[in-house]
Amino acid sequence: MWAVFLREREAHADAVDRWLAEGGEGEPPREPVMPVVEWRPGESLHCGRCRATARRALLVVDELAAALAARPGVVKAQSKWSRVRGTRPHGSMSGEADVVHTVTGELLRLRRDVGERLELADQVPAGRSGVVRSRSVTWLVDKLDAVLGLEQLTVVSAVRDPDDPVELGVVEWALAWESKLRRLVDDEPGHTVARCPGCEMRSLEWRQRAGYYVCENCGRHVSEADAMDLVSEEAGA
């Protein structure tokens, strides 16, 4: 719907240019009608873009958490000065490992809440391993349409401040964790030279809250993968 409107707006701009070049006589070309998004009872409160954003963010969160957990020194061994004599030494979590532990715990609570709300019989796996985290992400992505259709489903999260948890919606929660994990692993998308598919301007800027590149000129949303493909296609042209 919005893609059609953007194309109509571009065509209208060209028509106005021709009208002005011809002297601007008579009525100017009629502007396209902006589409109106209406919600109907029984329909999902999340649009297709929200679903795509949440799906991508959940998968990226799992990927970034795995990358963070794989870093050397994430689990720190105790020294002989940090344990009581006669006890066996054991590892202690670093700050990075604590972040991975936290996001995995919140993910498992979300999965448990969704299972209860949807009255599903499957059990949440025990532990907070990477395998459990990945399986839970896959489970949520597989049921994402039903998950986003649940009213007032929130996650109590420590993503912003461990000492001051807040309630976040599922899409906002996934994007917040993606943003935090990207900063920790230094994987924040930067500026792209890709041309916007809508207006063909090089005006795409990364918007973390949206989880997309957004064209500063026409407002078109472009995913990180699509932006990379656009650059590759132009380079090979």
Side-chain angles (χ1 to χ4, degrees):
M1 179 171 58
W2 279 103
V4 173
F5 170 70
L6 290 175
R7 289 195 296 269
E8 291 178 347
R9 190 173 67 172
E10 293 169 10
H12 173 260
D14 293 338
V16 170
D17 289 341
R18 291 193 298 270
W19 176 71
L20 292 174
E22 294 170 359
E25 296 181 359
E27 293 292 328
R30 181 176 297 179
E31 295 184 10
V33 178
M34 180 177 294
V36 177
V37 179
E38 296 181 353
W39 178 79
R40 297 181 179 86
E43 292 184 348
S44 173
L45 294 175
H46 295 80
C47 65
R49 181 174 292 166
C50 287
R51 291 192 292 273
T53 298
R55 181 177 289 106
R56 180 199 56 76
L58 284 168
L59 294 171
V60 171
V61 163
D62 181 38
E63 178 185 341
L64 294 174
L68 191 61
R71 286 185 171 182
V74 167
V75 176
K76 299 179 180 179
Q78 286 185 324
S79 69
K80 66 179 180 179
W81 309 110
S82 61
R83 60 188 176 91
V84 178
R85 178 179 293 181
T87 62
R88 297 181 61 184
H90 59 275
S92 62
M93 288 194 299
S94 67
E96 293 173 329
D98 188 55
V99 169
V100 175
H101 186 77
T102 299
V103 66
T104 303
E106 292 181 8
L107 186 68
L108 293 178
R109 287 197 300 273
L110 173 60
R111 173 174 176 172
R112 181 174 59 251
D113 292 345
V114 169
E116 292 176 354
R117 294 279 299 275
L118 295 178
E119 298 182 352
L120 301 176
D122 47 353
Q123 299 293 319
V124 178
R128 297 191 182 186
S129 67
V131 173
V132 169
R133 183 186 61 250
S134 295
R135 287 173 57 192
S136 297
V137 166
T138 301
W139 187 91
L140 287 168
V141 167
D142 183 58
K143 296 173 175 57
L144 194 56
D145 286 345
V147 171
L148 296 181
L150 294 172
E151 294 185 8
Q152 299 181 344
L153 176 65
T154 59
V155 186
V156 177
S157 178
V159 60
R160 296 172 180 170
D161 185 350
D163 297 323
D164 187 20
V166 294
E167 287 191 17
L168 301 174
V170 175
V171 180
E172 185 181 7
W173 173 82
L175 287 173
W177 270 114
E178 179 191 357
S179 177
K180 181 168 185 172
L181 291 171
R182 279 188 184 277
R183 291 196 302 270
L184 290 173
V185 301
D186 193 22
D187 189 46
E188 190 77 16
H191 179 72
T192 178
V193 296
R195 291 184 182 275
C196 172
C199 64
E200 297 188 353
M201 299 288 290
R202 299 188 193 275
S203 304
L204 296 175
E205 296 293 337
W206 181 257
R207 299 281 184 82
Q208 186 59 56
R209 289 183 64 86
Y212 281 86
Y213 285 102
V214 179
C215 180
E216 300 291 330
N217 182 53
C218 71
R220 181 77 171 261
H221 285 56
V222 179
S223 71
E224 184 180 1
D226 287 343
M228 294 175 65
D229 289 343
L230 289 169
V231 173
S232 299
E233 289 174 6
E234 185 174 353

